[in-house]
Amino acid sequence: MDDFDDLLAANREYADSFTLSGFDGVAHAGVAIVTCMDSRIDPLRMVGLAPGDAKIFRNPGGRVTPQALEALVLGVHLLNVERILVVPHTRCAMASSTEAELHARVGASAGQDASWQPFHVVLDQAAALAEDVAKVRSHPLIPDTVKVGGFLYDVDSGLLDRQL
Ligand SMILES: [Zn+2]
Protein backbone atom coordinates (compact mmCIF):
# COMPACT_ATOMS: atom_id res chain seq x y z
CA MET A 1 0.00 0.00 0.00
CA ASP A 2 3.05 2.29 0.10
CA ASP A 3 3.61 2.54 -3.65
CA PHE A 4 2.52 6.16 -3.70
CA ASP A 5 3.57 7.32 -0.23
CA ASP A 6 6.31 9.66 -1.44
CA LEU A 7 3.88 11.37 -3.79
CA LEU A 8 1.16 11.65 -1.18
CA ALA A 9 3.64 13.17 1.27
CA ALA A 10 4.60 15.73 -1.35
CA ASN A 11 0.92 16.38 -1.97
CA ARG A 12 0.31 17.20 1.69
CA GLU A 13 3.07 19.81 1.49
CA TYR A 14 1.54 21.13 -1.72
CA ALA A 15 -1.88 21.42 -0.08
CA ASP A 16 -0.37 23.38 2.83
CA SER A 17 0.25 26.33 0.53
CA PHE A 18 -2.65 25.70 -1.86
CA THR A 19 -4.20 28.89 -3.21
CA LEU A 20 -6.72 27.69 -5.81
CA SER A 21 -9.50 26.77 -3.36
CA GLY A 22 -12.92 27.56 -4.84
CA PHE A 23 -11.39 28.42 -8.21
CA ASP A 24 -13.86 28.33 -11.11
CA GLY A 25 -11.74 26.20 -13.48
CA VAL A 26 -11.97 28.44 -16.55
CA ALA A 27 -8.81 29.28 -18.51
CA HIS A 28 -8.02 32.68 -17.01
CA ALA A 29 -5.46 33.55 -19.67
CA GLY A 30 -7.85 32.35 -22.40
CA VAL A 31 -5.32 29.76 -23.59
CA ALA A 32 -5.53 26.07 -24.51
CA ILE A 33 -2.46 23.99 -25.37
CA VAL A 34 -2.39 20.61 -27.12
CA THR A 35 1.03 19.04 -26.63
CA CYS A 36 2.93 15.81 -26.15
CA MET A 37 3.08 13.76 -22.95
CA ASP A 38 6.88 14.15 -23.03
CA SER A 39 8.29 14.82 -19.55
CA ARG A 40 10.64 17.49 -20.91
CA ILE A 41 7.68 19.79 -21.66
CA ASP A 42 6.34 22.18 -19.01
CA PRO A 43 3.37 23.53 -20.97
CA LEU A 44 2.36 26.29 -18.60
CA ARG A 45 5.75 27.69 -17.68
CA MET A 46 7.07 27.58 -21.24
CA VAL A 47 4.63 30.34 -22.14
CA GLY A 48 4.76 32.20 -18.83
CA LEU A 49 1.49 30.83 -17.45
CA ALA A 50 0.53 29.25 -14.14
CA PRO A 51 -2.19 26.90 -12.85
CA GLY A 52 -5.57 28.46 -13.51
CA ASP A 53 -4.48 30.12 -16.73
CA ALA A 54 -4.88 27.47 -19.42
CA LYS A 55 -6.47 24.22 -20.52
CA ILE A 56 -3.87 21.55 -21.31
CA PHE A 57 -4.49 18.46 -23.43
CA ARG A 58 -1.64 15.99 -23.77
CA ASN A 59 -1.10 12.74 -25.62
CA PRO A 60 1.80 10.94 -27.34
CA GLY A 61 2.94 13.30 -30.11
CA GLY A 62 0.67 16.21 -29.15
CA ARG A 63 -1.87 15.26 -31.79
CA VAL A 64 -5.29 16.81 -32.42
CA THR A 65 -7.32 13.64 -31.88
CA PRO A 66 -11.12 13.46 -31.62
CA GLN A 67 -10.69 13.71 -27.83
CA ALA A 68 -8.50 16.79 -28.21
CA LEU A 69 -11.22 18.40 -30.33
CA GLU A 70 -13.80 17.58 -27.64
CA ALA A 71 -11.59 19.34 -25.12
CA LEU A 72 -11.06 22.35 -27.38
CA VAL A 73 -14.76 22.78 -28.16
CA LEU A 74 -15.56 22.67 -24.44
CA GLY A 75 -12.69 25.04 -23.77
CA VAL A 76 -13.84 27.57 -26.36
CA HIS A 77 -17.51 27.57 -25.40
CA LEU A 78 -17.51 26.92 -21.67
CA LEU A 79 -14.06 27.68 -20.34
CA ASN A 80 -12.96 31.01 -21.81
CA VAL A 81 -10.46 29.71 -24.41
CA GLU A 82 -9.66 32.31 -27.10
CA ARG A 83 -6.24 31.13 -28.30
CA ILE A 84 -5.17 27.55 -29.06
CA LEU A 85 -1.57 26.38 -29.41
CA VAL A 86 -0.81 23.02 -31.03
CA VAL A 87 2.69 22.07 -29.90
CA PRO A 88 4.58 18.99 -31.08
CA HIS A 89 8.29 18.95 -30.23
CA THR A 90 11.77 18.06 -31.41
CA ARG A 91 13.16 14.59 -30.70
CA CYS A 92 9.66 13.20 -30.15
CA ALA A 93 9.63 9.41 -29.98
CA MET A 94 6.32 9.38 -31.83
CA ALA A 95 7.91 11.18 -34.78
CA SER A 96 11.23 9.33 -34.84
CA SER A 97 10.04 5.72 -34.61
CA THR A 98 8.04 3.56 -36.96
CA GLU A 99 4.98 1.69 -35.76
CA ALA A 100 6.97 -1.55 -36.23
CA GLU A 101 9.85 -0.24 -34.09
CA LEU A 102 7.50 0.71 -31.26
CA HIS A 103 5.76 -2.66 -31.49
CA ALA A 104 9.16 -4.36 -31.26
CA ARG A 105 10.35 -2.26 -28.30
CA VAL A 106 7.10 -2.52 -26.34
CA GLY A 107 6.85 -6.21 -27.20
CA ALA A 108 10.39 -6.78 -25.89
CA SER A 109 9.58 -4.91 -22.67
CA ALA A 110 6.26 -6.70 -22.21
CA GLY A 111 7.64 -10.11 -23.14
CA GLN A 112 4.72 -10.66 -25.46
CA ASP A 113 3.30 -9.61 -28.77
CA ALA A 114 2.33 -5.92 -28.82
CA SER A 115 1.48 -5.60 -32.50
CA TRP A 116 -2.24 -5.28 -31.78
CA GLN A 117 -1.68 -2.01 -29.88
CA PRO A 118 -1.84 1.01 -32.20
CA PHE A 119 0.58 3.87 -31.46
CA HIS A 120 -0.26 6.34 -34.24
CA VAL A 121 3.33 7.30 -35.05
CA VAL A 122 3.96 10.52 -36.94
CA LEU A 123 5.74 9.96 -40.25
CA ASP A 124 5.99 13.63 -41.24
CA GLN A 125 5.86 15.99 -38.26
CA ALA A 126 5.35 19.18 -40.33
CA ALA A 127 2.54 17.60 -42.34
CA ALA A 128 0.91 16.25 -39.17
CA LEU A 129 1.01 19.70 -37.57
CA ALA A 130 -0.54 21.30 -40.65
CA GLU A 131 -3.28 18.67 -40.60
CA ASP A 132 -3.88 19.14 -36.88
CA VAL A 133 -4.05 22.94 -37.06
CA ALA A 134 -6.42 22.66 -40.02
CA LYS A 135 -8.68 20.32 -38.02
CA VAL A 136 -9.01 22.92 -35.28
CA ARG A 137 -9.45 25.89 -37.63
CA SER A 138 -12.08 24.13 -39.72
CA HIS A 139 -14.05 22.64 -36.84
CA PRO A 140 -17.65 23.90 -37.21
CA LEU A 141 -17.94 24.58 -33.47
CA ILE A 142 -14.70 26.55 -33.21
CA PRO A 143 -15.39 30.08 -34.50
CA ASP A 144 -12.93 32.13 -36.57
CA THR A 145 -12.54 34.55 -33.67
CA VAL A 146 -10.48 31.86 -31.91
CA LYS A 147 -6.81 32.19 -32.83
CA VAL A 148 -5.09 28.87 -33.64
CA GLY A 149 -1.31 28.51 -33.97
CA GLY A 150 0.98 25.59 -34.75
CA PHE A 151 4.37 25.60 -33.01
CA LEU A 152 7.39 23.33 -32.69
CA TYR A 153 8.90 23.17 -29.21
CA ASP A 154 12.66 22.61 -29.05
CA VAL A 155 13.33 20.37 -26.03
CA ASP A 156 17.01 21.41 -26.05
CA SER A 157 16.60 25.20 -26.12
CA GLY A 158 13.14 25.59 -24.56
CA LEU A 159 12.09 27.76 -27.50
CA LEU A 160 8.80 27.66 -29.35
CA ASP A 161 9.01 28.20 -33.10
CA ARG A 162 5.78 29.20 -34.81
CA GLN A 163 5.19 27.06 -37.91
CA LEU A 164 1.62 27.96 -38.82
ZN1 LIG B 1 6.72 13.58 -27.82
Side-chain angles (χ1 to χ4, degrees):
M1 289 294 282
D2 59 0
D3 292 355
F4 298 92
D5 282 357
D6 55 332
L7 300 177
L8 289 172
N11 171 255
R12 282 188 290 276
E13 279 185 36
Y14 172 75
D16 283 343
S17 57
F18 191 65
T19 57
L20 291 172
S21 182
F23 182 67
D24 56 16
V26 304
H28 276 222
V31 170
I33 300 172
V34 177
T35 193
C36 185
M37 66 189 277
D38 195 292
S39 54
R40 293 168 288 190
I41 299 173
D42 187 344
L44 287 171
R45 288 207 307 151
M46 76 181 183
V47 287
L49 299 180
D53 285 338
K55 295 294 165 190
I56 311 293
F57 188 94
R58 304 185 73 158
N59 59 28
R63 300 303 313 276
V64 176
T65 59
Q67 291 74 25
L69 287 168
E70 287 177 21
L72 294 174
V73 169
L74 289 169
V76 164
H77 290 285
L78 306 182
L79 300 166
N80 197 44
V81 169
E82 297 165 329
R83 289 186 290 172
I84 296 168
L85 296 83
V86 182
V87 187
H89 65 98
T90 59
R91 298 204 283 122
C92 183
M94 296 304 289
S96 56
S97 311
T98 65
E99 193 94 357
E101 284 166 352
L102 288 182
H103 284 147
R105 289 171 62 191
V106 172
S109 170
Q112 60 176 294
D113 173 52
S115 62
W116 52 271
Q117 173 67 61
F119 291 113
H120 301 102
V121 297
V122 176
L123 297 175
D124 180 336
Q125 203 173 33
L129 180 58
E131 188 183 303
D132 284 351
V133 166
K135 274 186 200 166
V136 182
R137 287 186 178 147
S138 65
H139 194 288
L141 293 174
I142 297 178
D144 294 341
T145 51
V146 173
K147 306 302 178 199
V148 184
F151 305 80
L152 185 67
Y153 178 71
D154 185 327
V155 294
D156 294 302
S157 69
L159 287 171
L160 279 174
D161 185 19
R162 183 154 190 186
Q163 311 282 302
L164 295 157

